[in-house]
Amino acid sequence: MYEKDGEKYFVVDGHTHFWDASPENWVEGQEEYAKGWIECFHAYQGLGPQDTHWPIDRFQKYSEELMMHDLFEAGHVDVAIFQPTNLRQWYRNGFNTTEADGALAEKHPGKFLVNTYFDPREGDAGMKAFEERVKRYHCKGVKLYTAEWLGDSRGWSLKDPEASRYLEKCEELGVRNVHVHKGPTIWPLDKDAFDVSDVDYVATNFQGLNFIVEHVGLPRIEDFCFMATQERNVYAGLAVVVGGLMHARPKFFAKVMGELMFWLGEDKLIFGADYAIWEPKWQVEGFVDWTMPADDDLSDFPPLTVAQKKKILGLNAARLYDIEVPEELKLEAPKVVEPVGVPNP
Amino acid sequence: MTALEEVRACHAAVWQALGTVRDPELDEPLTSLGFVARCAVEDGRASVDLRLPTYFCAPNFAFLMVADAYDAVSAVPGVATTEVRLVDHFAAEAINRGVAARAGFAASFEGEATGELEELRATFVRKAVLAGTDRVVRALLASGVDRARLADLTLGEVPATADRERLRDRRRELGLPCGDGDPLLVDPETGQPVPAGELARHLGFARLTRASQEANSGVCRDMLRVRYPHIGEQEGAR
């Protein structure tokens, strides 16, 4: 919970990790990719305030104590949602697995929700293991990284028929929240890897599921917003928008927030700090303090209200994940607000 | 010209040629983005290193930039041989080998790609048209032009700014109408004028596309600076 100027904010961090990218965990022969991946993440941290930068060795592998401190003691977070990224091709025990997240969650009841993953390339055995993970860790969500390498494969699409089998299984098991993260490679490589049209396809076909597009589709915000005006079950994950832009590029941050409020509206935006890339503390505090600057370029966008910030920082995610919110932190009579953006264009 | 002047002129011409090569996604020249890490010319041999904001930047865009840079530099008078190398990138080897062999994208990534990159390029030029439309329209509105008149304006009626010419160039690349008598607002897919009833939606997407492109460009510039902390000193260094 974060309190400022007499207002109390229930904070759900919708995007967190407990990873191990230390050299001991690199797969032999794949070191350059394992190293390249974590160094790329580390560079993203450089977009946050200087005094929150970590040395690379701590960033490669951090302790449970540090994570608990950064999220719950210093970071104002009430509940955090783990989003796994396996990358077993490059990391021997995986980069950030459901199992590692689940073990931590079980030690700290009530603090974490554990999401898992599926990969349609894993066949029937994968389906069975998926169901076991969901039951074992009480998963209400999955995080899908479509650009993950597997053998010679450079990724998969939500349009693949096997992906639909998994999404049917999600419906059956009550895994309602599907977080989709796009990466730079996908087969075939001549197409745009960040294209979100496959999310559009499954969002239409699976109306009972919520699709949360991580990083708001960055770098394809325009395609993402266009899709979101047509699909009522599409949400924006704000990881990277807040962490990568709010401090480093405040004007672009304002533009992007303005556009997201315009096209999606206050009920569809989900805060995520993307720990350990960025710590939640400065993001939560900065977002509560943030106002739309007075600038001609931003004159189309109204300022954010306290109630809107409360929704974005926690209440929206609490709604999607059935997280119990203390009475004093709820909004009085919250209404669902339609965005201004053109519906069904 | 003295021999030294000739070397300098050739170097300047190569740098200028690199300035015509754009990041297809960000719609900005490699030289102003800081993507040229090294540029040397000696005895007619041009040698250029390119760098990108991350190790995992999308290989298709990276290939386009390396191939375009190769073409631009090779065409400079006085350049007999050209070498363009992408550095610090997961697919650098495949890209550098493919471009040097003039092999095309599909052959350079055998089994991983089904075709060449022209469709991808055109998609992003269409985005550039939309983003460029917002730049021109914002300036018009700021100067007091009535929003309702925008659909009636022609390119020639818009003040002759760099933004207007950039918009015209992108439209020309796509084969869209780009003469002074052609409408300021056209559909970037079809080239048809935007009807008055579609104006709000068209301008909304133009604004959004520009916001996306600029936010993306901001992240890329910042990532490059984090990755190469001494870039400020190097940028513009010839």
Side-chain angles (χ1 to χ4, degrees):
Chain A
M1 195 268 290
Y2 179 57
E3 184 167 359
K4 181 79 189 278
D5 299 331
E7 296 287 349
K8 292 177 176 171
Y9 299 80
F10 184 74
V11 179
V12 178
D13 182 346
H15 197 120
T16 201
H17 307 281
F18 188 47
W19 69 54
D20 177 4
S22 59
E24 295 73 39
N25 197 23
W26 297 354
V27 169
E28 205 181 319
Q30 302 287 310
E31 293 90 345
E32 59 177 316
Y33 304 116
K35 181 170 181 285
W37 175 268
I38 196 63
E39 285 181 355
C40 179
F41 270 33
H42 191 239
Y44 274 101
Q45 188 177 67
L47 309 187
Q50 181 101 44
D51 61 356
T52 64
H53 298 176
W54 295 7
I56 186 75
D57 55 336
R58 189 206 300 172
F59 192 78
Q60 285 173 341
K61 186 175 184 179
Y62 46 93
S63 70
E64 172 184 340
E65 291 72 28
L66 184 66
M67 177 163 188
M68 296 306 291
H69 173 266
D70 286 346
L71 264 61
F72 303 105
E73 286 169 39
H76 314 297
V77 174
D78 292 283
V79 176
I81 303 173
F82 274 124
Q83 306 288 359
T85 309
N86 272 9
L87 304 182
R88 288 185 195 274
Q89 180 132 337
W90 302 336
Y91 297 98
R92 287 192 304 169
N93 301 318
F95 173 68
N96 167 213
T97 62
T98 312
E99 290 76 12
D101 294 342
L104 189 57
E106 283 171 0
K107 286 174 71 176
H108 303 278
K111 291 294 189 194
F112 294 102
L113 293 177
V114 178
N115 282 358
T116 188
Y117 82 100
F118 66 72
D119 185 330
R121 297 168 296 186
E122 291 181 351
D124 289 340
M127 178 70 84
K128 186 162 170 281
F130 168 64
E131 186 164 353
E132 285 168 6
R133 283 194 305 277
V134 167
K135 290 180 174 164
R136 168 79 174 77
Y137 297 106
H138 312 288
C139 303
K140 293 178 188 168
V142 285
K143 154 81 182 301
L144 308 178
Y145 183 50
T146 55
E148 179 149 354
W149 293 8
L150 185 71
D152 291 334
S153 163
R154 290 292 174 263
W156 55 280
S157 167
L158 284 159
K159 287 182 183 169
D160 297 342
E162 295 78 14
S164 288
R165 281 184 56 220
Y166 273 95
L167 291 170
E168 285 161 14
K169 182 58 90 176
C170 285
E171 286 185 317
E172 180 193 320
L173 296 173
V175 178
R176 290 201 317 268
N177 301 307
V178 181
H179 296 249
V180 185
H181 174 194
K182 295 280 173 173
T185 60
I186 194 108
W187 193 91
L189 288 179
D190 44 299
K191 302 294 182 221
D192 180 16
F194 299 99
D195 178 25
V196 290
S197 63
D198 60 335
V199 184
D200 197 351
Y201 174 83
V202 289
T204 303
N205 290 348
F206 293 90
Q207 295 282 325
L209 301 177
N210 305 313
F211 292 86
I212 301 98
V213 176
E214 292 301 336
H215 318 153
V216 304
L218 250 174
R220 299 289 174 269
I221 303 173
E222 72 280 31
D223 295 341
F224 165 68
C225 288
F226 182 81
M227 166 180 70
T229 59
Q230 301 172 78
E231 307 291 346
R232 301 189 65 84
N233 51 340
V234 167
Y235 293 75
L238 293 185
V240 181
V241 172
V242 180
L245 290 174
M246 189 173 70
H247 171 77
R249 296 275 172 173
K251 175 135 181 213
F252 296 154
F253 175 71
K255 276 194 177 189
V256 170
M257 281 307 299
E259 296 290 358
L260 292 171
M261 289 294 287
F262 181 88
W263 298 101
L264 279 90
E266 64 196 65
D267 294 304
K268 300 287 183 68
L269 310 186
I270 310 284
F271 171 73
D274 219 339
Y275 190 81
I277 297 181
W278 298 290
E279 297 168 13
K281 180 180 181 350
W282 68 268
Q283 299 189 66
V284 171
E285 294 174 4
F287 187 70
V288 166
D289 287 344
W290 181 77
T291 48
M292 186 66 76
D295 184 313
D296 280 350
D297 270 1
L298 302 167
S299 58
D300 292 351
F301 307 124
L304 254 61
T305 65
V306 167
Q308 288 169 336
K309 289 178 181 174
K310 287 183 179 180
K311 286 183 173 184
I312 294 167
L313 277 176
L315 300 179
N316 288 339
R319 190 176 75 242
L320 294 188
Y321 278 89
D322 295 326
I323 298 169
E324 198 177 323
V325 180
E327 207 57 42
E328 57 159 2
L329 300 179
K330 288 180 181 168
L331 284 178
E332 284 175 38
K335 343 183 257 278
V336 171
V337 179
E338 291 296 327
V340 190
V342 190
N344 304 312
Chain B
M1 272 197 280
T2 66
L4 183 62
E5 279 168 348
E6 269 178 36
V7 168
R8 280 195 184 137
C10 187
H11 191 283
V14 167
W15 185 262
Q16 202 175 5
L18 288 170
T20 67
V21 178
R22 306 190 311 260
D23 179 319
E25 201 179 1
L26 305 179
D27 194 39
E28 289 184 65
L30 304 190
T31 46
S32 65
L33 286 164
F35 290 179
V36 181
R38 196 177 68 88
C39 170
V41 186
E42 198 181 342
D43 299 334
R45 289 199 313 271
S47 170
V48 174
D49 286 355
L50 300 181
R51 63 187 168 201
L52 293 172
T54 79
Y55 185 72
F56 282 107
C57 282
N60 42 20
F61 292 109
F63 188 93
L64 279 175
M65 286 184 265
V66 177
D68 288 355
Y70 186 98
D71 290 344
V73 171
S74 305
V76 172
V79 170
T81 61
T82 302
E83 185 192 36
V84 180
R85 283 191 329 143
L86 177 63
V87 298
D88 302 338
H89 189 273
F90 84 91
E93 203 186 312
I95 290 171
N96 293 338
R97 200 178 335 111
V99 169
R102 319 304 292 139
F105 185 72
S108 304
F109 286 90
E110 205 185 337
E112 297 183 32
T114 54
E116 295 306 314
L117 300 173
E118 290 318 307
E119 187 189 322
L120 182 78
R121 193 200 293 272
T123 299
F124 282 83
V125 178
R126 279 193 288 274
K127 289 178 188 290
V129 166
L130 274 176
T133 299
D134 185 73
R135 286 188 193 97
V136 172
V137 163
R138 290 260 141 202
L140 285 174
L141 294 175
S143 72
V145 172
D146 182 4
R147 187 174 273 266
R149 268 197 65 217
L150 291 172
D152 302 325
L153 289 179
T154 62
L155 271 178
E157 289 170 316
V158 173
T161 59
D163 281 338
R164 185 190 74 172
E165 293 315 302
R166 182 174 168 192
L167 174 62
R168 191 201 297 273
D169 288 347
R170 300 299 175 271
R171 282 166 58 163
R172 185 180 293 119
E173 276 180 50
L174 289 167
L176 298 174
C178 59
D180 273 348
D182 291 315
L184 165 64
L185 302 180
V186 296
D187 182 315
E189 297 277 346
T190 64
Q192 291 298 307
V194 175
E198 293 284 311
L199 187 67
R201 182 183 154 235
H202 184 79
L203 295 180
F205 279 115
R207 186 192 67 192
L208 171 63
T209 305
R210 178 183 172 191
S212 175
Q213 189 190 70
E214 289 181 352
N216 193 13
S217 168
V219 170
C220 290
R221 286 172 190 277
D222 289 339
M223 290 295 282
L224 193 77
R225 202 167 298 124
V226 172
R227 196 174 188 204
Y228 301 101
H230 303 299
I231 202 164
E233 298 152 38
Q234 290 176 4
E235 211 167 356
R238 310 270 168 104

